[in-house]
Amino acid sequence: MGERGVKRAFKYRFYPTAQQADQLLRTFGCVRKVYNLALEARGRAWAEERRRISYAQTSAMLTEWKRTDELSYLAEVSSVPLQQALQHLHSAFTSFFAKRSKYPRFKSRKRSRAAAEYTRSAFAWRNGELTLAKMSVPLDIRWSRPLPEGADPSTVTVSCDAAGRWFVSLLVDVRNAETPPPGNSAVGIDLGLTSLATLSTGEKVPAPGFGKRDQTRLARAQKELARKQKGSKNQAKAREKVARIHVRIADRRRDFLHKLSSRIVQENQLVAIEDLAVRNLMGNRSLARAISDASWSELRAMLEYKCAWYGRELVVVDRFLPTSKTCSVCGLLRDPLPLGIRAWTCEGCGAQHDRDHNAAQNIVAAGQAVSACGGRVSPQRKPSGRAAGDEAGSHIARAMGVPAPEGRGDVKPRTPGRRSSSRPGSTPCPAAHG
């Protein structure tokens, strides 16, 4: 087995004392306030003077805010979480100017995540006990799993969810992380609603439908919440009851996806998935609830960082590649193939296909072509733009043994933490001609 250094976060639940909870709640409020003040200052400077403000300038502003009578309470909490909030805002603006994300939004007391991040200078880690700045006693943490031997946390994030549960996340540098031995196995994954994932091996993972199981219970709790008087204690209790149902659903779903993704990554050297436009699909009112409950995006995110952990390769196949209506045996392209047809027979070779299994087989074939190339499988595009799009899937189609599909057909390899970019004139995949 190989060994490599990776950073991993270990999350635990803890139970603060009344004094610790009060201190942390005030810290959350100060973090939110500093973030919003800095965002307002940066927005005003750009609107009025077309001037960008750096992190160092916002840090100097924070010092001035603490000296005012109105914001003097900012000095009562640790300064490190406040500085980290400014760092997060700076990162948000960096992503915005690089066109990777939208313009940063103000944090809300009701809707935003209540969290504070402490770096090494703002906490003490001694004999397996964690003590945060401005606190005299360590946190009462429930160690549900042990930390790696010799672990020394570099960052600590404390959070509180809507149900009132407290969590602490420890970022640890695992220098001798054991990884499974490399292999030759590859798997393609076709995501769906009836079956959450259909693997190219033929295995179908049924959709657990955790949200559907508690739908009646959630609807009843939401109805009770709507009947409470605004601002009353009963409304707060009813809101917490609704939140507890939501976190129960989310916890069960997350646990299921963690187990599924870990098994897939540990058993296969190459994992190929389809690039689904989940946000666009959520516009379908009939399927939005089921798509949200399936949580395809969360499964993809888990596969991405776990492939990086275990030294596996993840390939994201372009959504326009006709994987469902292309015969994985002879390559005949069937057109059209309505969503209601879940099984079909190829007119060319007579092979009988399950729609999802056939798509998964084509996805893994495309992923193997990308792996053989070591880059993006894409033909050389012509200056005419859209006219060249008809040839976009020619090389990957040959790799799959199928005729070139109509429209787009690129395959995009995905590296965790990096964005794939189109490279006109890229070298065609040699596997496409084999």
Side-chain angles (χ1 to χ4, degrees):
M1 291 189 180
E3 294 183 353
R4 55 201 303 264
V6 295
K7 286 187 176 293
R8 296 187 182 181
F10 293 81
K11 189 175 182 179
Y12 303 93
R13 190 170 179 179
F14 75 97
Y15 295 86
T17 63
Q19 184 178 3
Q20 289 176 335
D22 179 69
Q23 178 70 20
L24 290 173
L25 289 175
R26 286 192 289 127
T27 302
F28 295 159
C30 292
V31 166
R32 184 174 60 250
K33 182 66 174 180
V34 168
Y35 186 94
N36 291 340
L37 287 174
L39 177 56
E40 181 183 6
R42 297 183 70 147
R44 187 189 307 112
W46 178 257
E48 297 177 356
E49 307 173 21
R50 289 295 185 269
R51 176 173 57 90
R52 293 188 182 182
I53 296 180
S54 64
Y55 161 75
Q57 291 173 307
T58 56
S59 181
M61 291 179 182
L62 175 59
T63 303
E64 296 299 326
W65 292 335
K66 291 181 179 180
R67 294 173 180 173
T68 63
D69 294 336
E70 183 182 0
L71 300 175
S72 59
Y73 60 87
L74 295 177
E76 298 176 1
V77 301
S78 174
S79 62
V80 172
L82 307 185
Q83 294 289 346
Q84 290 301 107
L86 298 180
Q87 286 281 13
H88 294 164
L89 178 61
H90 179 71
S91 300
F93 269 103
T94 301
S95 299
F96 168 71
F97 288 122
K99 298 183 179 180
R100 294 194 300 265
S101 62
K102 294 183 179 181
Y103 189 82
R105 296 184 298 178
F106 290 97
K107 292 185 179 293
S108 168
R109 181 176 62 86
K110 295 182 179 180
R111 294 184 297 272
S112 299
R113 177 171 176 256
E117 184 176 301
Y118 295 80
T119 56
R120 197 65 185 88
S121 60
F123 66 87
W125 174 258
R126 298 187 184 92
N127 301 324
E129 292 185 338
L130 178 66
T131 306
L132 301 178
K134 302 286 187 178
M135 296 184 184
S136 57
V137 295
L139 299 181
D140 182 14
I141 302 176
R142 297 295 186 265
W143 300 102
S144 55
R145 54 175 175 164
L147 284 174
E149 185 178 355
D152 187 16
S154 59
T155 304
V156 171
T157 302
V158 181
S159 61
C160 181
D161 64 13
R165 303 182 304 175
W166 294 86
F167 295 96
V168 57
S169 179
L170 309 177
L171 185 63
V172 177
D173 186 9
V174 184
R175 299 186 180 277
N176 297 320
E178 293 188 356
T179 59
N184 298 321
S185 58
V187 67
I189 306 175
D190 181 72
L191 301 177
L193 296 179
T194 304
S195 296
L196 175 63
T198 301
L199 308 185
S200 56
T201 58
E203 178 186 356
K204 287 194 173 186
V205 181
F210 294 117
K212 188 175 181 180
R213 296 183 189 179
D214 290 341
Q215 186 174 352
T216 303
R217 182 183 175 192
L218 178 61
R220 187 183 300 114
Q222 290 175 329
K223 184 181 294 185
E224 294 176 358
L225 174 61
R227 292 172 177 172
K228 304 301 180 184
Q229 183 179 358
K230 292 185 178 180
S232 64
K233 292 184 178 180
N234 286 335
Q235 186 193 40
K237 294 178 182 179
R239 183 183 294 112
E240 184 176 344
K241 183 178 180 180
V242 172
R244 285 199 301 268
I245 299 176
H246 277 297
V247 298
R248 168 183 164 86
I249 296 173
D251 287 347
R252 296 167 67 193
R253 181 192 297 122
R254 190 179 303 110
D255 178 71
F256 177 82
L257 295 179
H258 270 301
K259 293 176 180 177
L260 174 62
S261 58
S262 295
R263 178 171 65 88
I264 292 175
V265 171
Q266 291 176 0
E267 293 177 354
N268 299 278
Q269 180 65 30
L270 172 68
V271 180
I273 60 175
E274 192 174 9
D275 182 24
L276 296 177
V278 178
R279 181 174 299 180
N280 297 340
L281 294 173
M282 288 289 289
N284 187 329
R285 297 177 60 184
S286 301
L287 301 177
R289 184 188 294 271
I291 294 174
S292 177
D293 193 24
S295 194
W296 294 333
S297 297
E298 188 171 4
L299 176 60
R300 172 173 169 174
M302 291 180 180
L303 290 173
E304 286 181 350
Y305 71 75
K306 289 181 181 181
C307 281
W309 280 1
Y310 297 111
R312 305 308 198 190
E313 183 179 3
L314 178 69
V315 177
V316 181
V317 178
D318 195 286
R319 69 187 69 135
F320 293 100
L321 193 68
T323 55
S324 297
K325 57 184 180 181
T326 300
C327 177
S328 58
V329 177
C330 69
L332 179 66
L333 179 63
R334 169 171 176 164
D335 192 21
L337 186 63
L339 289 175
I341 299 179
R342 309 311 302 173
W344 57 283
T345 302
C346 177
E347 298 177 356
C349 63
Q352 296 182 350
H353 294 298
D354 175 86
R355 180 192 183 106
D356 298 333
H357 183 215
N358 179 68
Q361 289 180 312
N362 287 329
I363 289 173
V364 72
Q368 289 172 328
V370 173
S371 180
C373 271
R376 175 169 179 154
V377 177
S378 176
Q380 184 172 357
R381 297 191 179 275
K382 299 178 181 179
S384 56
R386 185 59 182 172
D390 295 337
E391 301 179 4
S394 59
H395 292 284
I396 186 58
R398 293 194 190 101
M400 295 165 51
V402 302
E406 297 181 0
R408 293 179 56 190
D410 300 341
V411 177
K412 303 181 294 185
R414 178 69 178 260
T415 302
R418 299 182 60 184
R419 291 173 59 87
S420 299
S421 60
S422 177
R423 298 198 300 268
S426 58
T427 304
C429 176
H433 302 283

